[in-house]
Structures are given as structure tokens and as C-alpha cells.
Amino acid sequence: MATQITPTEELQAVNIMLSVIGEAPVNTLAGDTTTDVSIAKNLLDETSMSIQSMGWNFNTHYNYVVTVDDTGKIPLPSNCVQADASSSYRAYNYVMRAGNLYDLDNHTDIFTKAPTLDVVLVQQFEHLPEYARRYITMKASRRFASRFIGDTTITQLIGQDENEALVAFHQSEAQESDTNIL
């Protein structure tokens, strides 16, 4: 019977991280887990957040429509890590502050009209494209091995895998975003 290859799931990513330090795979991330599993899961989440926060084609939304609430504030989605004025509002200097849009030029978070924004929204691991999952897994694996074992040889070997995943990440990202060098 043939094994079906599917995109990397969070459990698989954690098991890859565990295998790098010589630990046995686990069957679930739910319930009581070992310290190694908890640390691996936390490091995977931390790495995912740091990579996604940079903003990529798969998680950047242009001309994102927001609304002003009853208090005059513009609450941003809970998974929003960056917010900026879209091209039609470039004269404004907006940022995120305390979960709301904030106008740096006018020193206020009260708005009378809702602008359109360019936002970066962090996605759950399973919602990411495979090239992002792979790079996040490899980077988290290297960091995990470095923190747990400290063996430079293992860290260098997984670092090579991370570099290969990074190259594939940039190639896929460029292709997906239709980047044109000209």
C-alpha cells in the first residue's frame, strides 16, 4: 500500500524537531506532553511568528477594509502583526497600537473615516503554503537542536537543510507573488 504524501502538519513538524535531537516521535500534541514536546511546539510557534511577521505574499493583504467602531477606534484582527496605510492613503502614518489603528502624525487612535490598509495577518501552521511550513520547520529544528544539544556538527547539518528550505522559500515566494525583476 502506497503512502500518501500530504503537506506538513504541526505534529509532523514537531516530530521532525524531536528526531533532530534523537527523540522518538509522538502521536499527539494534545493533553499532557513531555517537556521536549512542549518546548518543540513553543519553538515552532515562536519561529512561525518571527518569519510570518516579516510579511510575505501568502499573509499580506492589500487594501484591507476596516471599520470604525462606536468609540471611533479601528480595532484590528487579533492575528494582525503589521498595519500600514494602503497606497491611496500613503500620506498618513499609521501603525498598530494596543490592537487598534493609531495615527502617528495626529497622535490619536480616534478616526472619523476608515482608511484602507495593508496588513500582515499571521496564519495557523496548517494554513501556510508548504514552502513556508518547510522553512519554519527547518529553522525551528536548528534552533531546537542548538538549544538542546549544543553539538555544532548537528547544528551545522540541520543548518544546511534550513538553507535549502530558505532558498526554496524565496523561489516559491517570488513565483507566487509574480515578482518581476524588470
Side-chain angles (χ1 to χ4, degrees), residues 113-131:
K113 179 181 163 190
T116 57
L117 305 173
D118 295 341
V119 297
V120 174
L121 303 177
V122 175
Q123 305 298 314
Q124 294 297 320
F125 190 80
E126 279 80 10
H127 296 168
L128 298 173
E130 179 58 25
Y131 66 88

Side-chain angles (χ1 to χ4, degrees), residues 26-125:
V26 295
N27 294 326
T28 184
L29 298 176
D32 291 334
T33 59
T34 66
T35 303
D36 293 352
V37 173
S38 295
I39 292 171
K41 170 73 171 84
N42 288 340
L43 193 53
L44 182 68
D45 291 343
E46 175 188 314
T47 304
S48 182
M49 176 63 85
S50 70
I51 290 169
Q52 289 191 61
S53 292
M54 291 186 245
W56 301 94
N57 185 62
F58 61 83
N59 71 338
T60 301
H61 300 265
Y62 299 98
N63 299 313
Y64 190 84
V65 178
V66 292
T67 56
V68 179
D69 70 11
D70 296 340
T71 64
K73 295 186 178 194
I74 298 176
L76 297 170
S78 61
N79 64 331
C80 184
V81 292
Q82 283 186 42
D84 193 14
S86 64
S87 58
S88 57
Y89 287 88
R90 284 288 179 222
Y92 299 97
N93 193 9
Y94 300 141
V95 295
M96 285 183 57
R97 191 169 284 177
N100 295 308
L101 190 64
Y102 185 84
D103 184 339
L104 286 171
D105 293 331
N106 296 309
H107 312 289
T108 185
D109 61 357
I110 305 299
F111 292 82
T112 56
K113 179 181 163 190
T116 57
L117 305 173
D118 295 341
V119 297
V120 174
L121 303 177
V122 175
Q123 305 298 314
Q124 294 297 320
F125 190 80

